[in-house]
Amino acid sequence: DTAVSQTPKYLVTQMGNDKSIKCEQNLGHDTMYWYKQDSKKFLKIMFSYNNKELIINETVPNRFSPKSPDKAHLNLHINSLELGDSAVYFCASSQAPDLQFGNTIYFGEGSWLTVV
Amino acid sequence: SQQGEEDPQALSIQEGENATMNCSYKTSINNLQWYRQNSGRGLVHLILIRSNEREKHSGRLRVTLDTSKKSSSLLITASRAADTASYFCARSNSGNTPLVFGKGTRLSVIA
């Protein structure tokens, strides 16, 4: 059983379109994340939710809007897609948001977004 | 910036050799974690070392942490072709701050 699953795996779309990526975790974790990995493999946090509440928003353009209907789901909607949005988007979860006590992060397999 | 550096950026070795990857960081940490990413896949947690620990082992993995130098290393002994992947260190600070990942080391193990 996949712990963190995200769909779609691949997405090719034109500039200006709106798209969504869905994520679900079956680990019973309270905290979920969206990370963006660019072409140079640099992985950067975008958002973090704890029990459906936004706790981290790392200066992401407001074209990106996460939504957490419940603590097992965190979806990412992107409006007016731009070429620079092309990247791999990873959903992830952890037991709690406080990672200093040794909580680890479980990642999904990634969603490859290509904007043409 | 809290972002650290991993080096080397890429490493190519023969099967059976040991692989050492280094990670440096700039701010104090509570713990440091290493993750692995196979090509086209998500990241998988390998090992965590707390700031009061100096060395930790897990199978063929050995992680060291030197908080005075703000650096960590990951050693993979007796490497296998299946170890080919990118390896990332991630630092955890206090509170709810997110893990900060480095840019990773791309390891290629040649059979």
Side-chain angles (χ1 to χ4, degrees):
Chain A
D1 288 340
T2 304
V4 181
S5 59
Q6 52 183 111
T7 55
K9 173 107 177 165
Y10 300 101
L11 186 54
V12 180
T13 188
Q14 290 188 327
M15 280 176 54
N17 283 352
D18 304 338
K19 290 294 176 187
S20 293
I21 307 172
K22 295 186 176 182
C23 179
E24 175 181 4
Q25 54 96 3
N26 63 6
L27 297 166
H29 287 168
D30 285 344
T31 309
M32 295 186 73
Y33 310 84
W34 278 108
Y35 278 86
K36 178 180 179 180
Q37 187 173 46
D38 63 22
S39 58
K40 296 183 179 179
K41 295 279 197 176
F42 177 39
L43 194 67
K44 187 172 181 182
I45 182 75
M46 298 175 67
F47 301 103
S48 174
Y49 271 71
N50 187 55
N51 263 321
K52 305 190 300 177
E53 299 296 323
L54 178 68
I55 55 172
I56 292 172
N57 181 344
E58 290 285 315
T59 59
V60 177
N62 58 16
R63 297 183 295 103
F64 291 78
S65 52
K67 284 198 171 45
S68 182
D70 55 63
K71 74 174 191 177
H73 295 83
L74 179 61
N75 303 321
L76 182 65
H77 188 76
I78 315 170
N79 290 326
S80 304
L81 278 156
E82 300 176 356
L83 292 177
D85 297 332
S86 295
V88 185
Y89 293 85
F90 286 98
C91 179
S93 72
S94 64
Q95 193 165 11
D98 196 336
L99 298 171
Q100 64 177 315
F101 296 119
N103 288 310
T104 59
I105 294 185
Y106 293 76
F107 283 84
E109 292 291 286
S111 295
W112 269 251
L113 172 64
T114 303
V115 182
V116 297
Chain B
S1 165
Q2 297 180 41
Q3 187 182 336
E5 296 291 332
E6 280 128 323
D7 78 274
Q9 289 188 0
L11 179 61
S12 184
I13 59 174
Q14 297 287 329
E15 206 168 29
E17 293 180 339
N18 294 342
T20 300
M21 290 158 268
N22 303 297
C23 168
S24 61
Y25 55 92
K26 298 178 181 177
T27 61
S28 61
I29 59 170
N30 283 297
N31 66 70
L32 186 142
Q33 306 182 26
W34 284 89
Y35 287 77
R36 165 193 170 128
Q37 183 181 29
N38 284 12
S39 180
R41 307 294 298 274
L43 281 78
V44 175
H45 177 259
L46 292 176
I47 195 166
L48 178 151
I49 187 165
R50 300 182 191 283
S51 59
N52 62 353
E53 296 176 312
R54 292 296 166 258
E55 188 170 311
K56 205 158 182 184
H57 297 254
S58 176
R60 293 184 296 113
L61 305 181
R62 189 190 108 185
V63 168
T64 60
L65 179 65
D66 186 335
T67 52
S68 66
K69 295 181 180 177
K70 291 188 168 57
S71 68
S72 174
S73 67
L74 170 67
L75 168 68
I76 304 175
T77 60
S79 64
R80 304 167 183 167
D83 294 329
T84 295
S86 290
Y87 292 83
F88 294 84
C89 70
R91 280 82 65 196
S92 173
N93 300 325
S94 60
N96 294 344
T97 54
L99 280 185
V100 177
F101 285 83
K103 293 184 180 179
T105 293
R106 291 185 305 281
L107 173 66
S108 298
V109 181
I110 303 165

